[in-house]
Amino acid sequence: MPAQLQIVQPKPLSKRETQRYAELEGIIKANFKGFVQVCMALREIRDTELYRREYISFEEYCRDKWEMSRPRAYQLIGAADVLDDLSTVVDINDDELVIKERHLRPLIKLAPKQRAQAWQKATKRSEEHTSELQSH
């Protein structure tokens, strides 16, 4: 028996949602290489379904609008969740701090309370290693 196709109509956005959607997409477009704001914007677009005016699903939105796979989008959203958990120990607005998504990826699997501990342990090891290299 062939699978039946279900036609789903896009859902309208309110005026406020339309404005916020445009702002968030502007952040993604302007900062695609600076991932922190992109992660946060993608998460909010997914959570509030702001993609619904033009796309049926978040997956379709990511694929068609940003040429981004679903797993990649969820990696970035996972990084946003980790950044939220680290905000008590890390100033993510510090211009000298370089945070890359690949640094956060292993933390996604940890419980929120363990993320900050793991981050502190990793940065301490990194500082110790840097000091060792500088002393030689």
Side-chain angles (χ1 to χ4, degrees):
M1 180 180 250
Q4 291 183 334
L5 293 177
Q6 182 180 8
I7 298 174
V8 179
Q9 293 295 321
K11 298 176 184 173
L13 299 177
S14 69
K15 185 176 179 180
R16 187 175 65 83
E17 288 174 322
T18 299
Q19 182 179 3
R20 183 62 181 150
Y21 180 64
E23 290 170 3
L24 293 169
E25 284 199 330
I27 290 169
I28 293 171
K29 191 178 244 182
N31 297 288
F32 204 78
K33 292 182 182 177
F35 87 98
V36 172
Q37 289 183 321
V38 171
C39 295
M40 303 290 186
L42 280 171
R43 183 176 60 186
E44 186 176 338
I45 288 171
R46 181 205 58 190
D47 291 351
T48 58
E49 298 181 352
L50 293 178
Y51 56 82
R52 72 183 185 269
R53 182 183 68 193
E54 298 175 77
Y55 301 94
I56 294 169
S57 68
F58 181 68
E59 181 177 353
E60 179 186 356
Y61 165 75
C62 291
R63 183 187 63 239
D64 294 352
K65 184 77 174 195
W66 305 111
E67 298 179 4
M68 182 186 306
S69 70
R70 181 187 184 283
R72 181 65 182 143
Y74 278 85
Q75 280 180 334
L76 294 173
I77 290 169
D81 295 338
V82 170
L83 287 167
D84 284 346
D85 294 334
L86 294 180
S87 66
T88 59
V89 294
V90 177
D91 179 7
I92 62 171
N93 297 315
D94 182 351
D95 290 335
E96 293 185 25
L97 181 65
V98 177
I99 300 176
K100 297 185 177 180
E101 184 268 334
R102 67 186 160 127
H103 298 148
L104 301 175
R105 203 174 305 152
L107 302 176
I108 292 171
K109 298 174 185 174
L110 299 176
K113 290 181 181 180
Q114 294 174 315
R115 291 172 177 170
Q117 294 169 339
W119 179 267
Q120 289 174 319
K121 189 174 184 178
T123 54
K124 183 178 179 185
R125 280 189 184 166
S126 176
E127 289 167 1
E128 289 170 355
H129 183 70
T130 301
S131 294
E132 286 177 25
L133 291 174
Q134 290 174 346
S135 66
H136 291 288

